[in-house]
C-alpha cells in the first residue's frame, strides 16, 4: 500500500538552530516528491519537486534532498517567519493523485 | 506567475442553501483540482479535471457538484451540505495531469462553515 509518513509531528527551534524534517515514502515507481509550506488557514505554497534519488534543491534557508526511501527538508539558521506546517506529497502508484503526509508543524522562536 | 485565485475567502451557509465556490488561474494550466482540508489534517483530493473533463471523482457525495466551464475556471456547487462538510476548500492547478509537469499550485482556499 502506498504510504507517506512525516516526522517529527511538531518541532520547536530557536532562531538560528538548524534542523531537518523527514518524509518517508512507500510507493512503487516514484513519480516525484513534492514539498509544500502551509501557513494556518491558507493554501499550501509550493517549495520543491524532486524526481531522482540523489537530487537536491535549495531555496534560501531550505534544502531538499531525496533518497530511494525518504526525503529530507533541511532548514539552516531558521527565522521566526519559517514557522509553518511543512507537507510532503507523492503521487500514488496507480491512478495519479497525491498522497500527502500529515505534515511537520515547525515553530521557530525568536 | 503561479497564482490561483479563489472566491469567496469565507462562506457561511445553512444546510438548505445553495452556494458556489470559484477558482481561477491564468497560467495556461490544463489540469485543475478540488481538495478538502480539515483542521490539522492534510488535504484530501475530491475531483480532478483534465482538459475540462472530469478525470477523478473520489467518491464525493452528490451534494458537491464540480463544473469546469473553461480551461481557466473551476467551480464547486454546494447544496444541502452537512455541518461536517465545514472545512477549508482548496483549488489547485498544474500544467498537465500526471507526468513531470504535474506540480500542483494551490489557491488560498475558501473557509466554509455549514450551520
Amino acid at each position: 500500500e502506498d504510504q507517506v509518513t512525516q516526522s517529527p509531528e511538531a518541532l520547536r527551534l530557536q532562531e538560528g538552530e538548524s534542523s531537518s524534517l523527514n518524509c518517508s515514502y512507500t510507493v512503487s515507481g516514484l513519480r516525484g516528491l513534492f514539498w509544500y509550506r502551509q501557513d494556518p488557514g491558507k493554501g499550501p505554497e509550493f517549495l520543491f519537486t524532486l524526481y531522482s534519488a540523489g537530487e537536491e534543491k535549495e531555496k534560501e534557508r531550505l534544502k531538499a534532498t531525496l533518497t530511494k526511501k525518504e526525503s529530507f527538508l533541511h532548514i539552516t539558521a531558521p527565522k521566526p517567519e519559517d514557522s509553518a506546517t511543512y507537507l510532503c506529497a507523492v503521487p500514488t502508484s496507480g491512478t495519479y493523485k497525491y498522497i500527502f503526509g500529515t505534515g511537520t508543524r515547525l515553530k521557530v522562536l525568536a | 506567475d503561479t497564482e490561483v485565485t479563489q472566491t469567496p475567502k469565507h462562506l457561511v451557509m445553512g444546510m438548505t442553501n445553495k452556494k458556489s465556490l470559484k477558482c481561477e488561474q491564468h497560467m495556461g494550466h490544463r489540469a485543475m483540482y478540488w481538495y478538502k482540508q480539515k483542521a490539522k489534517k492534510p488535504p484530501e483530493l475530491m475531483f480532478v479535471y483534465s482538459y475540462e473533463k472530469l478525470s477523478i471523482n473520489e467518491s464525493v457525495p452528490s451534494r458537491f457538484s464540480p463544473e469546469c466551464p473553461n480551461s481557466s475556471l473551476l467551480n464547486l456547487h454546494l447544496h444541502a451540505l452537512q455541518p461536517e462538510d465545514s472545512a477549508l476548500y482548496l483549488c489547485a492547478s498544474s500544467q498537465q495531469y500526471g507526468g513531470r509537469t504535474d506540480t500542483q499550485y494551490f489557491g488560498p482556499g475558501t473557509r466554509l462553515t455549514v450551520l
Side-chain angles (χ1 to χ4, degrees):
Chain A
E1 181 185 352
D2 296 336
Q3 200 165 6
V4 176
T5 304
Q6 289 188 248
S7 62
E9 185 174 319
L11 182 62
R12 290 167 68 93
L13 299 173
Q14 292 294 323
E15 185 173 4
E17 180 186 3
S18 302
S19 188
S20 296
L21 314 182
N22 178 264
C23 173
S24 298
Y25 62 89
T26 306
V27 294
S28 299
L30 184 68
R31 295 185 281 182
L33 185 142
F34 305 88
W35 280 101
Y36 290 87
R37 168 198 169 123
Q38 186 172 28
D39 293 305
K42 298 188 177 181
E45 174 190 347
F46 171 70
L47 294 173
F48 304 109
T49 306
L50 302 167
Y51 287 106
S52 304
E55 190 175 357
E56 299 182 352
K57 288 192 176 174
E58 288 188 68
K59 179 181 178 180
E60 297 180 356
R61 295 178 293 281
L62 300 177
K63 179 180 177 180
T65 61
L66 181 65
T67 72
K68 290 186 177 180
K69 294 183 178 181
E70 58 193 348
S71 177
F72 291 95
L73 185 65
H74 306 280
I75 303 178
T76 302
K79 298 181 178 181
E81 53 261 43
D82 294 321
S83 298
T85 295
Y86 291 84
L87 295 164
C88 70
V90 297
T92 55
S93 303
T95 303
Y96 192 96
K97 58 183 180 182
Y98 281 11
I99 308 173
F100 281 90
T102 51
T104 293
R105 295 191 307 278
L106 174 65
K107 178 74 172 177
V108 182
L109 304 171
Chain B
D1 183 15
T2 55
E3 187 178 26
V4 176
T5 59
Q6 290 187 242
T7 55
K9 291 184 179 180
H10 303 277
L11 179 62
V12 179
M13 59 186 292
M15 290 190 285
T16 58
N17 293 156
K18 287 185 180 181
K19 296 287 185 181
S20 296
L21 309 184
K22 296 184 183 300
C23 173
E24 190 167 5
Q25 56 87 14
H26 294 288
M27 297 177 279
H29 288 178
R30 302 313 300 266
M32 297 186 77
Y33 310 77
W34 280 116
Y35 286 85
K36 173 182 177 179
Q37 187 177 25
K38 302 284 264 185
K40 296 189 177 182
K41 298 288 187 180
E44 298 176 15
L45 182 65
M46 301 174 70
F47 303 102
V48 179
Y49 274 84
S50 178
Y51 287 87
E52 296 103 71
K53 293 186 177 179
L54 185 64
S55 294
I56 293 180
N57 176 341
E58 288 289 278
S59 302
V60 177
S62 59
R63 58 185 183 268
F64 295 91
S65 176
E67 178 195 20
C68 190
N70 60 55
S71 60
S72 300
L73 294 173
L74 185 66
N75 298 321
L76 186 63
H77 303 296
L78 314 172
H79 173 56
L81 295 191
Q82 304 297 311
E84 58 265 28
D85 296 322
S86 298
L88 183 67
Y89 286 84
L90 295 164
C91 175
S93 72
S94 64
Q95 190 173 339
Q96 301 281 342
Y97 170 55
R100 290 213 164 200
T101 54
D102 181 56
T103 297
Q104 295 180 27
Y105 297 92
F106 286 81
T110 293
R111 171 67 62 189
L112 174 67
T113 302
V114 182
L115 301 177

